[in-house]
């Protein structure tokens, strides 16, 4: 197949994908989106004539627009713009999960410091405040006291981009020192791992240690439902164990998998390319239409 | 294994064989993050700063 890999930075994840695609003799077109110009009618020349465009943009804003343009040009892209839009924004992500009946941490959104403080006080301490757009655990805060809450809100309101004035506040989930990352295609797990840390943040990007994890039936059910809720495609679904169940706190649409590939026996890039081949063979578009 | 010059400090940066345009390398001498902008011959430029919207 002829596949266009949309990127602005080649991470180890993209290198693994490129290697797998080339090993299978696919014709890979690397497209650096920083160099392209997007008209409202006609696609950039490198986008034309490909079987599939694969969004691997590290920049969320670029990912959102480039997938939107691909859909407008009627070009096949994974993941599609609806999936990207739903996953990129934590508010939309939470709403989609809740609407689908997926257990997800209790969350409130407020637009002023005063209303945000009321949310924080109603959750009690500790609770968590997160940026609505962001990744790798950056700018997340566990709030232990009212004075800390006041300081964080003041900083966000004064120093932040307007998105930081959308206060996304969440209950603190007492997880057992670890969370679970499942990489799934069309809701079917490719591989999974637990990420453990003494720190409350257990992102691999924050240095958490990882170990393979075998999802049970309930985790599989939640992964499938969460995937469908956000528009489907190739996703990184994060769960926390809550004793007798799980809670899904996040779904990522340009999922990184190098840590998972290192941790498990599964050849993750091979499985991803298997899925891409299936998408092309079935002429499917993922997450392009509003639910 | 080939080499290229660090744009920040001029030191020699070792390049692995499967170099990709768009890849980021670290200069082991000055610690600068460098982006591969060409592979034949290899050319390195200063990598973009981390942006707030980067992630997965």
């Amino acid at each position: 197949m002829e596949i266009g890999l949309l990127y602005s930075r080649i991470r180890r994840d993209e290198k693994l994908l490129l290697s797998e695609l080339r090993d299978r003799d696919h014709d890979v077109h690397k497209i650096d989106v920083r160099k392209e110009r997007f008209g409202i009618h006609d696609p950039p020349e490198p986008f034309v004539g490909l079987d599939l465009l694969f969004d691997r943009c590290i920049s969320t804003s670029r990912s959102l627009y480039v997938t939107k343009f691909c859909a407008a040009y009627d070009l096949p892209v994974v993941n599609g713009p609806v999936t990207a839009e739903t996953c990129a924004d934590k508010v939309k992500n939470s709403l989609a999960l809740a609407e689908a009946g997926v257990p997800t941490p209790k969350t409130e959104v407020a637009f002023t410091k005063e209303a945000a403080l009321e949310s924080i006080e109603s959750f009690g301490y500790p609770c968590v405040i997160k940026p609505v757009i962001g990744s790798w655990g950056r700018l997340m805060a566990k709030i232990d006291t009212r004075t800390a809450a006041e300081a964080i809100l003041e900083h966000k309101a004064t120093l932040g981009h307007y998105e930081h004035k959308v206060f996304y506040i969440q209950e603190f989930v007492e997880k057992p020192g670890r969370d679970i990352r499942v990489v799934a295609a069309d809701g079917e797990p490719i591989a999974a791992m637990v990420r453990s840390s003494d720190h409350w943040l257990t992102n691999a990007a924050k240095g958490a240690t990882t170990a393979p994890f075998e999802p049970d039936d309930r985790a599989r059910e939640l992964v499938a439902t969460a995937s469908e809720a956000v528009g489907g495609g190739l996703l990184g679904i994060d769960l926390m164990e809550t004793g007798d169940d799980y809670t899904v706190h996040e779904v990522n649409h340009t999922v990184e998998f190098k840590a998972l590939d290192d941790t498990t026996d599964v050849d993750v890039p091979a499985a991803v390319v298997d899925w891409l081949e299936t998408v092309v063979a079935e002429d499917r578009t993922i997450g392009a239409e509003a639910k | 294994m080939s080499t290229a010059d660090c744009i920040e400090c001029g030191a020699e940066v070792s390049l692995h064989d499967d170099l990709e345009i768009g890849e980021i390398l670290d200069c082991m001498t000055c610690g600068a993050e460098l982006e591969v902008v060409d592979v034949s011959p290899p050319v390195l430029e200063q990598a973009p700063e981390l942006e707030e919207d980067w992630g997965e």
Side-chain angles (χ1 to χ4, degrees), chain A residues 252-267:
Chain A
N252 300 278
H253 76 286
T254 49
V255 60
E256 295 173 332
F257 54 79
K258 52 187 173 290
L260 185 62
D261 192 58
D262 289 340
T263 300
T264 69
D265 292 333
V266 178
D267 187 337

Side-chain angles (χ1 to χ4, degrees), chain A residues 9-11 15 22 30 34 58-61 135-136 138 164 181 252-256, chain B residues 16 18-24 33 35 37 47-56:
Chain A
R9 172 173 283 205
I10 298 294
R11 295 163 285 189
K15 287 198 79 167
R22 288 168 180 154
K30 285 170 61 186
R34 295 172 298 179
I58 196 170
S59 155
T60 300
S61 55
S135 193
W136 301 332
R138 288 172 303 158
H164 292 292
R181 159 59 60 91
N252 300 278
H253 76 286
T254 49
V255 60
E256 295 173 332
Chain B
H16 43 82
D18 62 342
L19 202 63
E20 289 280 350
I21 292 175
E23 191 178 345
I24 304 299
E33 280 202 325
E35 178 176 355
V37 296
E49 292 285 326
L50 175 74
E51 297 276 358
E52 197 177 317
D53 73 331
W54 284 13
E56 56 170 342

Side-chain angles (χ1 to χ4, degrees), chain A residues 95-170:
Chain A
L95 285 169
L97 293 172
E99 189 179 352
V102 175
T104 193
K106 288 175 193 160
T107 302
E108 287 189 4
V109 171
F111 300 134
T112 63
K113 288 184 295 179
E114 294 74 21
L117 195 55
E118 285 180 26
S119 287
I120 290 166
E121 292 270 299
S122 72
F123 277 122
Y125 300 99
C127 63
V128 174
I129 188 163
K130 301 178 177 179
V132 289
I133 291 183
S135 193
W136 301 332
R138 288 172 303 158
L139 297 175
M140 309 232 302
K142 179 183 171 194
I143 305 174
D144 292 310
T145 63
R146 182 182 173 101
T147 49
E150 289 169 345
I152 290 164
L153 295 173
E154 178 76 14
H155 279 76
K156 284 173 74 74
T158 306
L159 301 176
H161 182 268
Y162 68 84
E163 278 167 350
H164 292 292
K165 297 170 183 62
V166 178
F167 300 102
Y168 177 96
I169 299 147
Q170 205 161 61

Side-chain angles (χ1 to χ4, degrees), chain B:
Chain B
M1 183 179 282
S2 57
T3 61
D5 290 342
C6 172
I7 195 137
E8 282 289 308
C9 71
E12 210 169 64
V13 179
S14 298
L15 308 172
H16 43 82
D17 294 335
D18 62 342
L19 202 63
E20 289 280 350
I21 292 175
E23 191 178 345
I24 304 299
L25 305 175
D26 292 329
C27 173
M28 302 309 287
T29 303
C30 71
E33 280 202 325
L34 304 166
E35 178 176 355
V36 179
V37 296
D38 207 342
V39 291
S40 54
V43 179
L44 305 177
E45 286 186 357
Q46 195 173 31
E49 292 285 326
L50 175 74
E51 297 276 358
E52 197 177 317
D53 73 331
W54 284 13
E56 56 170 342

Side-chain angles (χ1 to χ4, degrees), chain A residues 168-181:
Chain A
Y168 177 96
I169 299 147
Q170 205 161 61
E171 66 172 325
F172 179 75
V173 176
E174 289 284 359
K175 60 182 187 284
R178 65 183 203 174
D179 76 348
I180 299 162
R181 159 59 60 91

